[in-house]
Amino acid sequence: MKSLKKKKREIRIGDLFFGTDHFQVIAGPCAIENYDCLLETAVFLKSIGVRILRGGSFKLRTSPDSFQGLGIEALEHLKKVGDATGMITVSEITDPRDIELMRDYVDIFLVGTRNMYNYPLLSLLGQTDKPVILKRGMNATLDEWILAAKYIEQNGNMNVILCERGIRTFEPKTRNTLDLSAVPILHELTDYPVIVDPSHATGKASLVPSMAMAATAAGADGLMIEIHPDPKHALSDAMQMLNFQQFKKLYERIGILKSVL
Ligand code: PEP
Ligand code: MN
């Protein structure tokens, strides 16, 4: 059957594409904790075919007492691991003053939920040529999210990927409520590649596989999933992290699902 889906814009990162007919899985720890742990994660991901490594450097945590990330040290680890393994790298940019610094360290900028409304940051990212993954603000409507993406584009950077990561509702059983209908709606309204982060959407490792599968079936162009070699001892978001075995199993199931979609 011929696909009725609107053609998406294609975003190129080296030899890798986001968009129509390309499905990308991004995985890695919430925060980069040390070089060895990140390297182990990257080597594992590469061995099963994942090409994009995520890892937080400057963490925006709700509590000032929580682990805030290793900052520049984390970026150095990420660059070294990326160079050593050939993985494409993603890390969150939290402050416009860090753009110059970070552009030498990462392949893709990630804008987290707390900064979707940070228009000066978005405008400045528009002046770079790097792809930007723009997460949905936890209280943002789809229209507000699309307009936020336009702040990046206005300055010439059309390499925008949207990431649904759940919204805040009255339901406390999950960290956020995953709005899967965002995926087909955004595909109707826009040509952005749309990916889904089931880790922050649910906050629970046990829910990540089913929501990742559902997002794939809903037409997502990719997934972003938090993994850690030893989730129990992760310094941030330990509850939602998959271990390598759990992730491998999920990755294989996604491959099977993709083959019949
Ligand atoms: C993240 O992906 O590292 C992150 C902090 O997610 P969010 O901004 O969606 O909470
Ligand atoms: Mn996290």
Side-chain angles (χ1 to χ4, degrees), residues 29-31 54 59 61 135 175 197 199-200 226 236-237 240-241:
C30 179
R54 64 150 287 147
K59 295 301 299 175
R61 308 301 302 284
K135 285 191 144 188
R175 185 173 181 182
D197 169 354
S199 306
H200 292 90
E226 287 191 342
S236 63
D237 288 350
Q240 69 194 33
M241 216 89 64

Side-chain angles (χ1 to χ4, degrees), residues 45-99:
L45 288 171
K46 193 173 177 187
S47 76
I48 61 169
V50 175
R51 300 281 317 277
I52 313 177
L53 175 69
R54 64 150 287 147
S57 41
F58 299 95
K59 295 301 299 175
L60 291 179
R61 308 301 302 284
T62 304
S63 165
D65 298 327
S66 301
F67 176 59
Q68 303 286 313
L70 296 180
I72 296 175
E73 188 187 333
L75 291 175
E76 277 163 1
H77 296 328
L78 188 59
K79 172 98 178 91
K80 266 204 223 155
V81 168
D83 288 346
T85 58
M87 295 288 280
I88 286 162
T89 57
V90 192
S91 196
E92 183 178 351
I93 173 97
T94 59
D95 187 323
R97 290 168 297 186
D98 294 333
I99 292 179

Side-chain angles (χ1 to χ4, degrees), residues 94 131 144 169 207-208 227-228 240:
T94 59
E144 287 169 340
T169 70
L207 300 178
V208 168
I227 68 165
H228 193 280
Q240 69 194 33

